[in-house]
Amino acid sequence: MPAAWASPGAPAAAPWANQSWARDFVLLGFAHVPALRPLLAALFLAAFLLALLGNALIALLPGLARALRAPMYLFLRQLALVEICFSLDVAPRLLVTLLRPGRGVSPAGCALQLLLVLSCVTSECFLLTVMAWDRYVAICRPLRYAAVVSPRLCHLLAAACWLAGVPVALVFTIWLFRFPFCGPRDIRHFFCDIAPLLMLVCADTRVFEASVLAATVLVIMVPFCLIAASYTKILTTVLRMPSATGRHKALSTCASHLIVVVLFYGTTGVIHLRPKASYSPESKQVVSLSYTLVTPMLNPLIYSLRNKEVKAALGPLCCGARE
């Protein structure tokens, strides 16, 4: 508002109020290894394309193969779609940062990226929990599986997983971008995340950090505990099975999901449980790569290599492509 229009008794605006959304941020991803940027760009581009291709195949397979229309594969399809969204949100900006260092990111663009990252992380946490519950019912309550895990319930749970991340992401994104950002706007990361953005805030963020920690415990640790409880009951049930073949078959249906859980939670917990932790920005970038780029690339490989139904559905598709 121009000064001439302001009423004489109105309080003066804060000095950062008209500048906070006028200055771009600059992502400094891997600025400590400038000579390796072209090589890293090539590697990350390959990982990005593999993640898109692999997850697109996993997302399309249930519609092409009747054997992959069980609830387990419906949730796997949703997980693949979340990974695609995650990759599209992070990887292109990472490649631009590596190939055109110093290029600015508008505050609106940075806020949108943070919103999508938080939303995808939250949705993936809940999806992995629902997938663990599905395996629990299938192994521990096999006679009631068809009645409990109905198609309608599966679609409702999938929709809830997608929508649950939106309010959490909105609250913390809006809250964070209402703080004043002072001094140079160099973000020592390859995408807009809470921890590196907090380093640029010149205000008291203790309440915000406490709220982030509380939300992280609810969104990451509570689902992880539920997954751990599900697998504890699954393991107990499997060990009671008289047949070695039955035990092997039951465990093989859980192996892929368990590997993905370890990969995802082992990295997100380190980053998000301590927003202003004492880890160096460089180490945070390496850990963040694990769940933003490496895990989306590996998930389709893990599920396709360890799941007989997925391999059986992929076989004719690949053979048809060759012909």
Side-chain angles (χ1 to χ4, degrees):
M1 181 171 64
W5 296 359
S7 59
W16 51 268
N18 296 325
Q19 300 176 9
S20 187
W21 283 83
R23 295 173 54 200
D24 287 351
F25 294 97
V26 177
L27 294 168
L28 301 178
F30 302 98
H32 58 293
V33 285
L36 293 179
R37 283 190 167 195
L39 176 61
L40 291 175
L43 291 175
F44 295 156
L45 176 61
F48 172 52
L49 294 177
L50 285 173
L52 285 184
L53 177 61
N55 285 293
L57 282 174
I58 294 294
L60 290 172
L61 277 179
L64 301 175
R66 289 181 176 272
L68 300 183
R69 293 179 184 175
M72 172 183 175
Y73 298 106
L74 183 145
F75 296 132
L76 178 57
R77 184 181 196 176
Q78 303 307 312
L79 181 64
L81 292 173
V82 169
E83 299 289 25
I84 290 173
C85 293
F86 216 158
S87 299
L88 289 173
D89 182 37
V90 174
R93 181 70 64 185
L94 168 58
L95 294 173
V96 170
T97 300
L98 290 171
L99 297 175
R100 299 186 63 182
R103 184 175 179 180
V105 182
S106 69
C110 192
L112 178 60
Q113 186 178 50
L114 176 62
L115 175 70
L116 292 174
V117 166
L118 295 179
S119 182
C120 287
V121 168
T122 305
S123 296
E124 186 157 350
C125 288
F126 291 143
L127 268 173
L128 291 174
T129 307
V130 170
M131 292 172 77
W133 169 79
D134 172 74
R135 291 299 84 205
Y136 161 74
V137 178
I139 294 173
C140 301
R141 302 287 188 271
L143 298 179
R144 299 186 58 195
Y145 182 77
V148 174
V149 190
S150 64
R152 184 173 183 274
L153 178 61
C154 291
H155 285 96
L156 286 175
L157 287 173
C161 290
W162 277 98
L163 296 175
V166 177
V168 176
L170 270 175
V171 166
F172 287 107
T173 301
I174 294 173
W175 190 355
L176 178 56
F177 277 84
R178 287 178 66 88
F179 285 118
F181 296 97
C182 305
R185 295 203 172 190
D186 296 340
I187 300 176
R188 298 178 67 182
H189 210 343
F190 59 85
F191 69 95
C192 294
D193 201 5
I194 289 178
L197 282 168
L198 276 176
M199 304 304 295
L200 307 181
V201 173
C202 51
D204 186 357
T205 60
R206 285 177 294 180
V207 175
F208 177 82
E209 291 182 58
S211 301
V212 169
L213 180 60
T216 301
V217 170
L218 290 174
V219 169
I220 293 182
M221 295 311 299
V222 171
F224 178 77
C225 291
L226 292 174
I227 292 172
S230 298
Y231 275 106
T232 301
K233 293 182 179 180
I234 288 172
L235 185 60
T236 303
T237 302
V238 169
L239 291 176
R240 291 176 181 170
M241 291 180 178
S243 168
T245 304
R247 290 195 297 269
H248 176 75
K249 184 178 180 181
L251 289 175
S252 65
T253 63
C254 303
S256 301
H257 178 258
L258 197 55
I259 293 171
V260 171
V261 167
V262 171
L263 284 173
F264 180 76
Y265 279 97
T267 53
T268 53
V270 171
I271 294 296
H272 292 283
L273 280 173
R274 299 177 64 188
K276 267 192 175 179
S278 57
Y279 314 126
S280 69
E282 289 74 23
S283 63
K284 283 185 178 181
Q285 290 183 62
V286 174
V287 175
S288 297
L289 274 176
S290 301
Y291 73 90
T292 57
L293 201 61
V294 177
T295 301
M297 178 188 68
L298 292 180
N299 281 0
L301 293 175
I302 293 169
Y303 277 104
S304 61
L305 292 177
R306 297 198 58 87
N307 190 292
K308 292 181 180 179
E309 286 83 4
V310 174
K311 285 194 288 187
L314 278 173
L317 188 64
C318 294
C319 292
R322 288 175 186 173
E323 293 174 4

